[in-house]
Amino acid sequence: MEIQVKDISKIYGAGENKVTALHSASMTIYAGDFISIMGPSGSGKSTLLHIISGLDAPTSGSVLYGDTDIHHGSDKELSAFRRRKIGFIFQQFNLLPVLSARENIIMPLLLDRQQPDEAYLQEITSFLGLESRLTHLPHELSGGQQQRVAIARALIARPDIIFADEPTGNLDSKSGGEVMEMLCGIREKMKKTLVVITHDPRIAKMADRRFTIIDGELSEVTAG
């Protein structure tokens, strides 16, 4: 699915308190792309991701998934669209502490009143090295294992696109490298579109297409 981001801007506050977080950002995300968006803290990169993924609305501009403008439906429709079409991976693992790894992974399906495809669940957990950890609670897992659970959760509904916002930000260098290798492997194996927000140039360089954002201004620095 092709995603068209057209002239999106985001303004917070008004008058003397007005802050423009994004300035008419535009990009096209093609099916199968691996894109990195790099910028310093406060540059607007997370705001951009939140708008593209439907977690926040732009002040102006549009985001089209195919022919669907995701910001012109009801909140209920947008929530269902996100659950079924988009996978999210964040810096914070956001795992429910009272649920096992398996229960955390399948939660998006249960919210949609679906049962997991056990063969697919086994495939992704095996690829991520989680087969022996599925009954463990989050506090019984290392940081890298918790992030791998979060990746499996992002994949369980077979989304068209994965958005990862600083996915290695809470990990040490070794665990972060392993997580990025797994994300790259999943992108190749499962033909997923992957968009990674990062401030780490080593991670940014893994992508086929690289963008930078500075003071809300988005620009592509490499073309795939």
Side-chain angles (χ1 to χ4, degrees):
M1 180 188 298
E2 184 174 298
I3 303 169
Q4 292 279 346
V5 179
K6 298 184 176 181
D7 294 319
I8 58 171
S9 294
K10 183 68 176 182
I11 299 171
Y12 297 100
E16 293 182 358
N17 296 320
K18 177 180 175 181
V19 175
T20 302
L22 282 178
H23 301 267
S24 300
S26 296
M27 66 189 305
T28 301
I29 302 171
Y30 301 101
D33 263 349
F34 178 11
I35 289 174
S36 66
I37 303 172
M38 184 178 170
S41 178
S43 61
K45 58 186 186 296
S46 291
T47 299
L48 174 66
L49 181 142
H50 290 169
I51 292 173
I52 297 174
S53 63
L55 293 174
D56 196 3
T59 304
S60 60
S62 61
V63 180
L64 279 74
Y65 282 65
D67 297 325
T68 302
D69 187 335
I70 63 169
H71 293 295
H72 278 189
S74 68
D75 288 343
K76 184 177 180 180
E77 289 171 334
L78 180 55
S79 292
F81 182 88
R82 285 197 303 261
R83 285 198 305 272
R84 296 165 188 167
K85 299 292 186 180
I86 300 173
F88 295 98
I89 305 165
F90 298 103
Q91 179 175 338
Q92 305 294 333
F93 313 129
N94 294 333
L95 303 180
L96 295 175
V98 298
L99 298 184
S100 68
R102 174 191 163 87
E103 290 166 336
N104 269 285
I105 291 168
I106 67 173
M107 181 56 65
L109 296 179
L110 300 183
L111 291 173
D112 234 7
R113 296 182 174 86
Q114 298 181 43
Q115 290 300 313
D117 176 336
E118 292 296 335
Y120 178 64
L121 176 60
Q122 183 177 1
E123 178 187 358
I124 59 177
T125 54
S126 176
F127 183 85
L128 291 165
L130 292 170
E131 315 99 297
S132 65
R133 313 298 287 176
L134 293 178
T135 60
H136 289 65
L137 295 173
H139 77 269
E140 298 172 317
L141 303 174
S142 68
Q145 289 169 338
Q146 290 186 63
Q147 189 62 298
R148 281 184 264 157
V149 171
I151 293 170
R153 180 183 58 195
L155 291 168
I156 194 64
R158 303 178 191 265
D160 293 328
I161 183 168
I162 303 290
F163 289 107
D165 190 356
E166 298 281 8
T168 64
N170 269 349
L171 303 175
D172 59 35
S173 179
K174 182 176 183 293
S175 296
E178 291 172 351
V179 163
M180 281 308 304
E181 285 180 12
M182 288 179 176
L183 280 175
C184 292
I186 285 166
R187 183 251 176 170
E188 290 293 330
K189 179 180 175 65
M190 301 182 179
K191 307 304 180 187
K192 298 295 182 185
T193 305
L194 175 62
V195 178
V196 177
I197 297 290
T198 185
H199 67 274
D200 187 335
R202 295 169 299 174
I203 292 173
K205 288 178 181 177
M206 294 180 180
D208 300 323
R209 297 174 62 202
R210 304 198 295 271
F211 289 76
T212 60
I213 186 165
I214 299 173
D215 295 333
E217 300 280 355
L218 180 70
S219 58
E220 186 165 6
V221 294
T222 65

